[in-house]
Amino acid sequence: MIPFNIPPVTGNEITYLKEAIENKKICGDGPFTKKCHAWLENKLGGSSKVLLTTSGTTALEMAALLCNIQAGDEVIMPSFTFCSTADAFVQRGAKIVFVDIRPDTMNIDENKIERAITPKTKAICAVHYAGVACEMDTIMTIARKHNLKVVEDAAQAICSEYKGRALGTIGDYGCLSFHETKNFSMGEGGAVIINTGNEDYERAEVIREKGTDRSKFLRGQIDKYTWRDYGSSYLPSDLNAAYLFAQLEQAEKIQMHRMNCWNTYYNSLKELEVSKKIVLPTVPAGCLHNAHMFYILTKNIEERTELISFLKENGVGSAFHYIPLHSAPAGIKFGRFDGKDEITTAYSERLVRLPMYYGLSDVDIQKVIKNVKDFYLK
Ligand SMILES: *Cc1c(COP(=O)(O)O)cnc(C)c1O
């Protein structure tokens, strides 16, 4: 069986974990966390600050706190996303206003955002699906015009760019995930990116350290630390950071491999798109994607179900997502869909993700491709 995903391992993870254990530095903000921060800040272009978190979910929770979301505020986002995107804001008492997506990228339709804005709207959360950028120029223009915060859910988008700028660095805050299904992993983990200057960064440090100024204390800037504001424990163990750092050091190798897989899928399945059997992903001009996933769109949900079971019978794992949030029980309770759901439900029912992971062999990719072709051509 070719699995749908295998968590990445590049070789040095054990060495770095051993080092952390032997040096007795396993709590948060240790040497490996610092190395990851430096690597990420450099990768993101040098003008953003980064803090590792325990997950992409808690990075979003920190962003919601940093946006000062209050009960009754509204936050605009797509319904086609992971539940954490919405839940982080719901926890603060926000109402979620879902907006339809674009059929080409499955990202929020930037032309449908403005009509969803009300006097209660506080923020827009842009999800860069499959590591392909949302139309950020339009989104930022709308946000500035209406004085809204912008959070980029860049959980899938490390190493992706929009017009030369790293995703996660364009809005006020960006959120990364290092879950085992993402390009680089630490088991469970993530990072919040702060693009709003040093004062806000210090606030983020307090929120992440149980509402204390412990970060300043550890830097020797103050001689004791105290409880200053609300917060929680959002910092991961340095053991997880050690695992992540091994991955970041091999980022280029991981990315090159994933990009090869993506291009092989794309080029080999193109003929099925030309003959109108399936639809392949679109990467708009100006967007540099990161080969986070490879998906295809089938004709309808029945065909998708048949394809998934055909692949399974032939030893190929595949997956679909998301059940649109506005139709989930919590989405009904905490949100509303603005306008008409023309694309979200119809397209989400057609989407299938093919195996994509670091180490996926060429033989296995060819087997996946052969099976997809067999399904459509026999
Ligand atoms: C993975 C993911 C998350 C959540 O990240 P975790 O690290 O699993 O908490 C949030 N949003 C999107 C779009 C994701 O893909």
Side-chain angles (χ1 to χ4, degrees), residues 2 5 12 42 51 59 72 81 131 150 166 180 194 240-241 271 286 295 320 377:
I2 302 169
N5 179 58
N12 267 335
N42 179 56
L51 290 167
T81 181
V150 174
E180 68 164 32
I194 298 115
N240 296 69
E271 61 178 83
Y295 69 84
F320 67 83
L377 301 175

Side-chain angles (χ1 to χ4, degrees), residues 35-36 81 169 181 207 280 319:
K35 284 181 184 181
C36 290
T81 181
T169 69
T181 51
I207 288 172
L280 296 178

Side-chain angles (χ1 to χ4, degrees), residues 18 41 61 69 92 96 123 166 202 297 323 338 353 356:
K18 196 160 170 277
E41 283 170 6
E61 290 177 18
I69 300 298
R92 307 263 65 81
I96 308 301
E202 286 186 1
L297 296 174
I323 308 291
D338 187 81
R353 301 171 65 183
M356 167 68 94

Side-chain angles (χ1 to χ4, degrees), residues 68-89:
N68 293 314
I69 300 298
Q70 307 290 320
D73 289 346
E74 292 181 356
V75 179
I76 293 172
M77 65 180 64
S79 173
F80 183 72
T81 181
F82 189 61
C83 54
S84 299
T85 317
D87 193 73
F89 296 96

Side-chain angles (χ1 to χ4, degrees), residues 55-57 60 81-82 84-85 127 153 155-156 177 179 182 189 322:
S55 63
T57 300
L60 285 158
T81 181
F82 189 61
S84 299
T85 317
V127 183
D153 182 340
Q156 303 177 5
S177 168
H179 185 256
K182 303 306 201 284
Y322 301 99

Side-chain angles (χ1 to χ4, degrees), residues 263-272 365-366 369 373:
N263 288 330
T264 304
Y265 275 137
Y266 190 89
N267 296 330
S268 309
L269 295 174
K270 189 75 196 166
E271 61 178 83
L272 290 182
I365 292 192
Q366 294 305 334
I369 291 164
K373 284 187 178 171

Side-chain angles (χ1 to χ4, degrees), residues 235-247:
L235 71 173
S237 158
D238 223 43
L239 290 168
N240 296 69
Y243 192 100
L244 179 64
F245 189 63
Q247 308 251 305

